[in-house]
Amino acid sequence: MTKLKLFCSVALLTVLAICAACNKGADSNAPKQKTIAVIPKGVSHAFWQTVKAGADAAGKDLNVKIIWKGAASETDYAGQVSIVEDMITQRVDGIVLAPAHGDALVPKTEAAQKAGIPVTIFDSGISTQNYLSYVSTDNRLGGAVAAKRIGEKLGGKGKVAVLGVKKGSVSTDEREEGFIAAIKKDFPNIKIIEPIFYGEASPAKSLAAAEDVLTSNADLTGLFASNESSTVGAMRAIKQRNLAGKVLLVGFDYTSDLGQAVKDGAIDSLVLQNPFKMGYEGVKTIVDKLAGKTPERRIDTGVELLTKENMDSPKMKELAR
């Protein structure tokens, strides 16, 4: 190799090394992708998977990393508290939380806010005002929509029961309270069985609770189930006893099986939320905050009633995903 070729080779290697160093420096100065933790009440129900789809879509559109982590059961309050604590320790940039219990999640929510990690509450309320935004259905309205459907279909008379989830779950507490209040106000000749029967967010336990209420009330004419698992349990009880058409069931939330039961007549109707929008808007509120914007304090994601007559409409097909 001649001296000239050797010189040129050394010069080329030097230039390449300088460029690599410059690129490395530029990369290190590039803004780091933000990380947002989305923590649902649980992960087993179809509702939460649709929330996840919305959160993932927001993550893609808004260029943020999504950590999806929830307890196996919606009644595992300690498990959800531990997850929130872990996300605070990891120093995520924001948390989108559906509190499994209105009181149990207050300390960790306030701890995250104090640590400079904004928290948006979605789906279900919490017993503190120390959060960024609240993204959810108007759950009392959802209960009232169910009451109006049952009251009108029963002609303003009969005997109804409520199959709830678990006391302390704010979203379902509000649905159940909204239903009972609307029946008492608008349909005073309908008798409500109280106290509420609870299914503990489990289809199997909801089935057992529905069996209990049907056994002890042979003259029952209507049943309101306030979430996916309670609706599944109530539907199974009605099918097993061949009571479709005799006991009017209005449920909450959508799965393909529940939709089929509406077609078949085992379920009269379903109150639908918009879980995809909850996931998307929840993430977006955090992104807006990190960008120096002020997101809306309260975002109502809407409520609709799915029936056999309207279930093939574009609006219902969009919600029933």
Side-chain angles (χ1 to χ4, degrees), residues 58 61 69 86 107 110 112 128 130 186 202-203 210 253 255 264 298 314:
D61 291 349
K69 191 171 184 181
D86 182 44
E110 294 185 339
T128 178
N130 195 7
D186 299 328
S202 161
D253 293 330
T255 69
D264 296 341
R298 177 72 172 94

Side-chain angles (χ1 to χ4, degrees), residues 39-60:
I39 306 172
K41 287 183 181 179
V43 294
S44 60
H45 295 157
F47 177 87
W48 301 117
Q49 294 309 309
T50 308
V51 171
K52 182 179 186 299
D56 287 342
K60 182 178 180 181

Side-chain angles (χ1 to χ4, degrees), residues 41 61 70-71 77 83-84 97 221 236 255 294 311-312:
K41 287 183 181 179
D61 291 349
Y77 307 149
I83 291 169
V84 176
L97 171 68
T221 53
R236 290 174 181 171
T255 69
T294 302
M311 66 190 309
D312 291 325

Side-chain angles (χ1 to χ4, degrees), residues 1 21 228:
M1 181 179 290
E228 179 184 324

